[in-house]
Amino acid sequence: MSYSAQNIRNICLLGHGSNGKTTLAENMLYLTGGSIRMGSPVDGNTVCDYDPEEIRRQISISLAVAPVEYKGCKINVLDTPGYFDFCGEAIEALSVSGAAVIVCSAKAGMSVGAEKAWEYCESRKMPRILYISKTDEENSDYNAAFATLRERFGKNIAPVVAPIWDADKKVIGIIDVLHKRAYEMQNGKRVEIQVPDDKLAVLDELYDALKESVAETSEEFMDKYFNGEDFTYAEMVQGLRQGVRDLSLFPVVCGSAVQGLGTLMLLDTIVDLVPNPLEGSPEVVENADGELEEYVLSDRAYPCAYVFKTTSDQYGKYSYVKVLSGSITPDMPMVNARTGETMKLGRLYVVKGKKTEEVKELVCGDIGAVAKMDALKTGDTLCDSRKVIKVAPLPLPEPCYSVAIAPKTKGQEDKIAAGLTRLNEEDLTFNWMSNAETRQMVVSGTGDMQMDVLVSKLKNRFSVEAELSIPRVAYREKIRKKVEVQGRHKKQSGGHGQFGDVKIRFEPGESEELEFCEEVFGGAVPKNYFPAVEKGLREAVQHGVLAGYPVVNLKATLYDGSYHPVDSSEMAFKTAAQLAYKAGLPDANPTILEPIGELKVTIPDSYMGDIIGDLNKRRGRVMGMNPDGKGNQIVEAEVPMAEMMTYAIDLRSMTQSRGSFTFHFVRYEEAPPVAQQKAIDAAKAIQDLDN
């Protein structure tokens, strides 16, 4: 079927890992005829978890699209991973969704994943529905889960369902508060039942609470409510829709996706209360002049589409798009706002998990994919040449966890680089670089699970086995006192010999770069050899005398020397300078400098003591603490980079994943003796390995 923008809903499923998001998406498809059987993550046969890594690990790793057709509406369900290493996928889904369904388990209530999901929605001012899952499982407690939501969000929580439970507090049916009807599941189908007598009072109480919420959405409704008049069903829906849209009301639904209980109720809530794409908040975009402006989605405007995700497999590359205005068709010429180039669209598809169905048009508000557009990247905006705009970049987290990656078989570095480049097109939350100084390829991302998945994908998709290790630290060396030293290079063999003789003063300098000066009198060293001396020293400072790290803050002054009119050459003076360097620096009180970074860690107040204690163990200096206005503290500290290699994992462990941080290099500083010895030992181990 083809749908207009008014009959499209775009929702993303958010929440903690293993809370049942993928199973819920699966049940939505099954109950609406979108799939012929109900899959399970444990069996590895769900529509949304189709990647071999997802099937093997039994968790979601990437965003998947599942279009659900229900009551004349197309609901594009975006299933996202719950584990924080894959938060970039959730951010991509949020960028094209009109509302979020935050899935909370009846066993845990408001988990950390649900808290993070709520924060994402708050930052985007996005309507949301809360869904309490797994109400039929052992140790589930709907009341306790709902109480944690009510405690966290107060009166804004509006339960549109009342659960019916048995003596063991297991939910066996639900009451639709708005329609005052009760349902249970029989043989996989929803069947209407009589509202139990003991639930009539609860139903009236919840219905009155909904009426109060509706009354607060307009003055007209408020007057009607205070006059004791009843709202019609249409007025109730209108008021609830307005409350959801202006974020004064967050409906709560519950159920069991395994049984199918509550799923149709959730779909009803999405169709009735979630705004369609034309009713959503305007996008803030950059126009052709580089100015920011509000962009309202319209089905009558010039065609425009936003690329929010990229995937590639053996069949080619798919660019997932949301149509922001107008409609798009195959072969339509469109301008890529990032590059300014005009390109013809490839074939268009509607995507359901890994399956694609070719279509002739994608309308305003709809989500689909364009095939084989190699020049497109995630975050690109495709526009009509008459109205070029650029959607703001995705607010992806900074990479905070780095590992060195190397092939198990030598000589396959290029294969790893090519594989990482391809994988980086799909996942923008990691980056990689070849560090010439430490001679390592370093990958930086969100956490250890993401790195493990990258290694698995390199093996399965690009046939290269890689291993991970802790990255080497780029130390520096410097001297602390002045020395004067002679470097003399004399070699005699048949014909011309080699002769170079220099006297150089080495002392601590002001600039990081080598500072070369000359004070030669009387032509003891001819001027034409000065560049050779400087070149010899510049090569030499790349390797310090303590552990082979580059030497910084060094001033070298050539003040005397001698030469031979026949045997002297540039090469001889270059060698003499390097001999002087090797002889002089060990006597100049050399020391090792370590890189220091500026750390800003955001944590809830309750974790302050643990974080400060941990930073002290890492030789950190706490510089200050500032509240962020959201109940968190931002702790600012300076910490040696060598102590921060596992901080991303350790911080999650200390704060139950509630903490986040940024860390940037600021300067080099003299390392304490223990750290210096550790650096020297590490350098020696690398030399032994190379030899």
Side-chain angles (χ1 to χ4, degrees):
M1 279 182 67
S2 60
Y3 294 88
S4 63
Q6 287 84 351
N7 295 324
I8 291 174
R9 307 285 185 273
N10 296 316
I11 62 131
C12 58
L13 302 180
L14 302 175
H16 208 75
S18 302
N19 272 5
K21 298 182 295 299
T22 301
T23 307
L24 179 59
E26 190 71 15
N27 193 235
M28 287 177 173
L29 285 168
Y30 177 64
L31 292 181
T32 57
S35 61
I36 55 172
R37 58 173 167 71
M38 175 84 182
S40 157
V42 175
D43 297 333
N45 58 358
T46 62
V47 170
C48 293
D49 285 357
Y50 56 85
D51 185 274
E53 282 302 305
E54 294 177 314
I55 294 167
R56 183 168 74 82
R57 296 166 190 268
Q58 297 180 10
I59 60 168
S60 296
I61 288 172
S62 59
L63 150 69
V65 182
V68 173
E69 297 182 271
Y70 182 68
K71 289 190 173 177
C73 277
K74 181 184 183 187
I75 304 168
N76 286 312
V77 178
L78 282 74
D79 180 30
T80 68
Y83 291 93
F84 301 124
D85 281 29
F86 312 109
C87 61
E89 304 289 326
I91 291 167
E92 288 173 351
L94 282 160
S95 71
V96 293
S97 296
V101 174
I102 300 177
V103 179
C104 312
S105 167
K107 296 178 177 180
M110 195 69 182
S111 59
V112 187
E115 285 177 21
K116 292 258 186 184
W118 189 274
E119 286 169 17
Y120 290 150
C121 295
E122 283 284 279
S123 65
R124 293 188 64 87
K125 296 184 170 55
M126 180 178 284
R128 64 218 77 143
I129 297 168
L130 293 154
Y131 175 82
I132 300 175
S133 67
K134 303 189 177 185
T135 54
D136 61 331
E137 292 191 9
E138 287 289 328
N139 305 318
S140 68
D141 189 340
Y142 170 85
N143 281 347
F146 181 77
T148 61
L149 299 179
R150 176 52 65 87
E151 184 186 334
R152 180 86 161 71
F153 306 115
K155 288 178 86 175
N156 293 42
I157 298 297
V160 292
V161 297
I164 304 167
W165 48 71
D166 60 14
D168 298 326
K169 284 192 174 179
K170 250 190 207 174
V171 175
I172 54 171
I174 58 168
I175 300 169
D176 179 343
V177 175
L178 192 58
H179 297 91
K180 297 189 175 182
R181 290 175 173 176
Y183 301 96
E184 67 180 17
M185 296 302 288
Q186 294 177 10
N187 300 320
K189 294 199 172 170
R190 184 171 77 166
V191 177
E192 187 171 348
I193 58 170
Q194 194 74 26
V195 177
D197 292 340
D198 62 339
K199 289 290 180 185
L200 289 170
V202 175
L203 174 56
D204 289 340
E205 185 185 330
L206 290 174
Y207 190 78
D208 287 343
L210 278 187
K211 276 171 62 178
E212 192 176 335
S213 298
V214 168
E216 290 174 0
T217 60
S218 77
E219 286 185 21
E220 181 192 339
F221 286 168
M222 187 66 82
D223 292 341
K224 202 169 181 182
Y225 178 73
F226 280 124
N227 291 335
E229 296 177 47
D230 265 342
F231 294 125
T232 64
Y233 171 73
E235 288 173 333
M236 286 290 286
V237 171
Q238 182 190 336
L240 291 172
R241 273 176 68 82
Q242 187 58 42
V244 167
R245 197 171 158 186
D246 63 24
L247 309 182
S248 63
L249 187 146
F250 306 107
V252 180
V253 185
C254 73
S256 159
V258 173
Q259 283 190 20
L261 184 68
T263 303
L264 294 178
M265 177 76 200
L266 174 61
L267 290 172
D268 285 329
T269 307
I270 291 167
V271 169
D272 292 341
L273 305 185
V274 166
N276 67 50
L278 302 181
E279 297 170 325
S281 303
E283 292 272 354
V284 176
V285 300
E286 187 182 302
N287 62 23
D289 299 323
E291 298 165 348
L292 294 180
E293 64 176 49
E294 284 196 343
Y295 185 79
V296 180
L297 272 68
S298 168
D299 50 0
R300 293 187 177 88
Y302 294 126
C304 179
Y306 171 65
V307 181
F308 67 93
K309 180 176 174 59
T310 304
T311 62
S312 56
D313 55 24
Q314 66 267 39
Y315 305 114
K317 180 175 172 179
Y318 287 99
S319 302
Y320 287 63
V321 296
K322 178 186 179 183
V323 183
L324 300 182
S325 59
S327 60
I328 60 173
T329 55
D331 295 327
M332 177 183 277
M334 298 194 83
V335 175
N336 184 339
R338 174 176 57 86
T339 63
E341 291 178 9
T342 301
M343 50 178 67
K344 270 190 177 183
L345 291 183
R347 292 180 173 181
L348 300 180
Y349 295 89
V350 168
V351 184
K352 185 191 291 182
K354 67 177 176 182
K355 292 181 179 174
T356 55
E357 181 186 336
E358 191 170 353
V359 292
K360 294 300 176 193
E361 182 185 39
L362 285 174
V363 300
C364 178
D366 205 358
I367 285 171
V370 192
K372 297 178 180 174
M373 301 281 286
D374 290 337
L376 278 186
K377 290 185 177 179
T378 300
D380 283 354
T381 314
L382 295 169
C383 317
D384 187 284
S385 58
R386 292 166 291 183
K387 174 72 176 174
V388 176
I389 60 154
K390 195 188 292 182
V391 175
L394 291 166
L396 296 171
E398 277 186 40
C400 60
Y401 178 70
S402 297
V403 290
I405 187 168
K408 285 187 179 177
T409 308
K410 277 193 174 182
Q412 292 194 316
E413 287 81 5
D414 288 348
K415 280 184 85 172
I416 284 185
L420 288 174
T421 301
R422 287 280 301 278
L423 292 172
N424 199 203
E425 290 179 358
E426 300 181 23
D427 182 359
L428 300 180
T429 59
F430 81 89
N431 56 45
W432 66 277
M433 59 171 283
S434 287
N435 190 322
E437 190 176 322
T438 60
R439 289 180 293 165
Q440 285 183 315
M441 196 181 288
V442 178
V443 185
S444 301
T446 52
D448 55 337
M449 193 185 289
Q450 182 191 36
M451 297 301 154
D452 191 38
V453 167
L454 286 176
V455 169
S456 294
K457 286 186 174 180
L458 284 171
K459 181 181 177 182
N460 297 330
R461 286 169 57 176
F462 302 99
S463 304
V464 56
E465 290 196 52
E467 50 193 6
L468 304 177
S469 58
I470 294 173
R472 296 168 194 155
V473 178
Y475 292 99
R476 296 283 185 269
E477 296 183 23
K478 76 167 189 176
I479 60 170
R480 290 178 288 187
K481 75 173 191 182
K482 181 163 48 171
V483 292
E484 293 184 348
V485 65
Q486 182 177 14
R488 187 180 175 90
H489 177 61
K490 183 178 181 183
K491 197 171 181 184
Q492 194 65 46
S493 57
H496 280 304
Q498 294 179 34
F499 183 83
D501 178 25
V502 293
K503 290 183 180 176
I504 300 175
R505 185 187 311 117
F506 293 107
E507 58 193 311
E510 294 297 319
S511 70
E512 192 174 305
E513 288 278 311
L514 170 70
E515 189 182 340
F516 177 72
C517 307
E518 55 82 20
E519 298 172 356
V520 178
F521 291 101
V525 177
K527 283 185 178 179
N528 57 313
Y529 293 133
F530 292 172
V533 173
E534 182 179 356
K535 187 179 180 186
L537 291 174
R538 289 203 180 277
E539 285 182 13
V541 296
Q542 298 306 313
H543 304 283
V545 293
L546 283 178
Y549 296 108
V551 175
V552 294
N553 300 105
L554 181 66
K555 182 179 179 183
T557 306
L558 173 66
Y559 66 90
D560 201 359
S562 60
Y563 74 103
H564 188 278
V566 176
D567 291 348
S568 286
S569 65
E570 288 187 2
M571 181 56 75
F573 272 98
K574 179 181 166 185
T575 306
Q578 291 174 342
L579 290 171
Y581 171 88
K582 285 175 185 170
L585 255 65
D587 298 330
N589 202 358
T591 187
I592 285 182
L593 306 177
E594 63 180 349
I596 304 293
E598 179 188 53
L599 172 71
K600 290 185 180 178
V601 54
T602 304
I603 46 161
D605 284 338
S606 54
Y607 298 107
M608 182 68 77
D610 292 344
I611 297 303
I612 301 293
D614 178 71
L615 289 176
N616 290 334
K617 286 180 198 166
R618 296 175 192 271
R619 300 189 284 121
R621 291 191 297 271
V622 176
M623 313 300 282
M625 287 165 267
N626 303 301
D628 72 346
K630 300 174 187 173
N632 297 315
Q633 288 284 346
I634 300 173
V635 180
E636 297 183 13
E638 290 187 343
V639 193
M641 293 184 98
E643 306 290 339
M644 291 292 289
M645 295 305 178
T646 60
Y647 192 65
I649 300 163
D650 299 338
L651 180 66
R652 279 186 193 172
S653 174
M654 286 185 287
T655 64
Q656 295 178 298
S657 297
R658 288 182 171 89
S660 61
F661 74 99
T662 59
F663 187 62
H664 301 287
F665 167 77
V666 283
R667 67 176 178 281
Y668 278 93
E669 208 171 83
E670 190 173 332
V674 175
Q676 290 204 32
Q677 192 56 51
K678 201 172 169 184
I680 291 167
D681 293 344
K684 190 174 183 303
I686 293 165
Q687 282 174 354
D688 292 345
L689 214 67
D690 291 345
N691 295 334

